């Protein structure tokens, strides 16, 4: 019974490179949320997607960041031309329904370090 | 004003005591409230939800909601060292953002 799977768990990039983070939701879940967590801080909402649709991207920076959740395959959060300030833990969460009861199932996170 | 505010702590309590964690939020219409626990280096996990004014109990945990004062709290009775973690308050508003908004979390330390 696989939970939310994220990979890679750890990613090191140099400034200017691209980072791709992948998230496979729990089986039967079609709603995916991406959050960013800086050290000693809470979770900051980035984007909410359903299959093939971006529902709410109000928390995602307009430049360099993009997200997708294709019909087949995992959701991907892409960060282009990374900068040191992008260093953070990126958590993906999934939910079986759109009306939130708060039951978000989180993956273990992908920790991005930008050198 | 932040949408969801928590004292970052750390809140230190002795083993067996009651830990009280508080959270205030912006009033933006109908809301639902949640408490998540996050161990260091791990992912958050839901421990309590509350939708109505008053108290909701689940084992050693009690969530309290006061809509008039715009705060929600979490009480942990008989605190154990294994309760040492960061507790995140989260709010879902029926309008606006279609996702949970989290506070910055309160770090709890239970001293054996």
């Amino acid at each position: 019974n696989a939970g939310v799977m994220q990979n890679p768990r750890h990613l090191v990039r140099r400034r200017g490179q691209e980072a791709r983070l992948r998230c496979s939701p729990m089986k039967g879940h079609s709603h995916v949320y991406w959050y960013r967590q800086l050290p000693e801080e809470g979770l900051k909402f980035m984007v909410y997607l359903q299959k093939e649709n971006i529902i709410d991207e109000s928390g995602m920076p307009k430049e360099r960041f993009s997200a997708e959740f294709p019909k087949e395959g995992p959701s991907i959060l892409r960060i282009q031309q990374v900068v040191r300030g992008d260093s953070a833990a990126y958590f993906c969460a999934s939910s079986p329904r759109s009306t939130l009861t708060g039951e978000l199932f989180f993956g273990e996170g992908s920790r991005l370090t930008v050198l | 004003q932040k949408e969801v505010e928590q004292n970052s702590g750390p809140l230190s309590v002795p083993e067996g005591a009651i830990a009280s964690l508080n959270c205030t939020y912006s009033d933006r219409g109908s809301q639902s409230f949640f408490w998540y626990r996050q161990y260091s280096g791990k992912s958050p996990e839901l421990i309590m939800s509350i939708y109505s004014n008053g108290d909701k109990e689940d084992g050693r945990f009690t969530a309290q909601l006061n809509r008039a004062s715009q705060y929600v709290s979490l009480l942990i009775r008989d605190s154990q060292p294994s309760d040492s973690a960061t507790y995140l308050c989260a709010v879902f508003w029926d309008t606006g953002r279609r996702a949970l908004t989290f506070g910055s979390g309160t770090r709890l330390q239970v001293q054996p």
Side-chain angles (χ1 to χ4, degrees), chain A residues 1-3 26-27:
Chain A
N1 181 21
M26 286 184 69
K27 188 176 181 180

Side-chain angles (χ1 to χ4, degrees), chain B:
Chain B
Q1 181 191 5
K2 289 184 180 178
E3 295 176 300
V4 181
E5 291 205 58
Q6 295 182 255
N7 188 322
S8 62
L11 173 66
S12 185
V13 299
E15 185 174 355
I18 295 176
S20 177
L21 303 156
N22 299 311
C23 170
T24 58
Y25 60 91
S26 301
D27 184 12
R28 300 217 315 252
S30 182
Q31 311 97 350
S32 305
F33 305 89
F34 311 92
W35 284 98
Y36 280 74
R37 177 176 62 198
Q38 186 177 24
Y39 291 112
S40 181
K42 298 296 185 181
S43 59
E45 56 180 337
L46 179 67
I47 54 172
M48 288 285 288
S49 60
I50 187 166
Y51 307 98
S52 305
N53 256 349
D55 295 0
K56 178 181 178 183
E57 188 174 317
D58 184 1
R60 294 187 298 112
F61 298 97
T62 298
Q64 300 175 317
L65 173 59
N66 184 323
R67 289 186 185 273
S69 300
Q70 294 173 225
Y71 82 78
V72 57
S73 60
L74 179 70
L75 301 179
I76 306 175
R77 288 181 299 281
D78 188 24
S79 296
Q80 301 297 310
S82 59
D83 294 326
S84 297
T86 296
Y87 290 80
L88 300 165
C89 172
V91 181
F92 180 71
W93 284 279
D94 285 356
T95 58
R97 178 178 298 162
R98 301 273 303 276
L100 291 183
T101 298
F102 286 84
S104 57
T106 297
R107 190 155 59 95
L108 173 66
Q109 294 176 340
V110 181
Q111 307 294 337

Side-chain angles (χ1 to χ4, degrees), chain A residues 6-7 11 18-23 34-36 46-47 49 60-61 64-69 74-80 90-92:
Chain A
Q6 289 189 248
N7 68 82
L11 182 63
E18 178 179 289
R20 282 192 183 219
L21 311 177
R22 286 174 289 277
C23 169
W34 285 93
Y35 285 84
R36 176 165 63 178
M46 298 184 74
V47 61
L49 311 102
M60 198 156 67
R64 303 189 298 108
F65 286 75
S66 62
E68 63 177 9
F69 189 14
S75 175
I76 295 175
L77 179 67
R78 182 183 178 204
I79 311 172
Q80 295 178 291
Y90 291 83
F91 286 95
C92 169

Side-chain angles (χ1 to χ4, degrees), chain A residues 84-100:
Chain A
R84 289 216 174 110
D86 296 332
S87 295
Y90 291 83
F91 286 95
C92 169
S94 73
S95 168
R97 61 190 70 84
S98 61
T99 302
L100 277 184

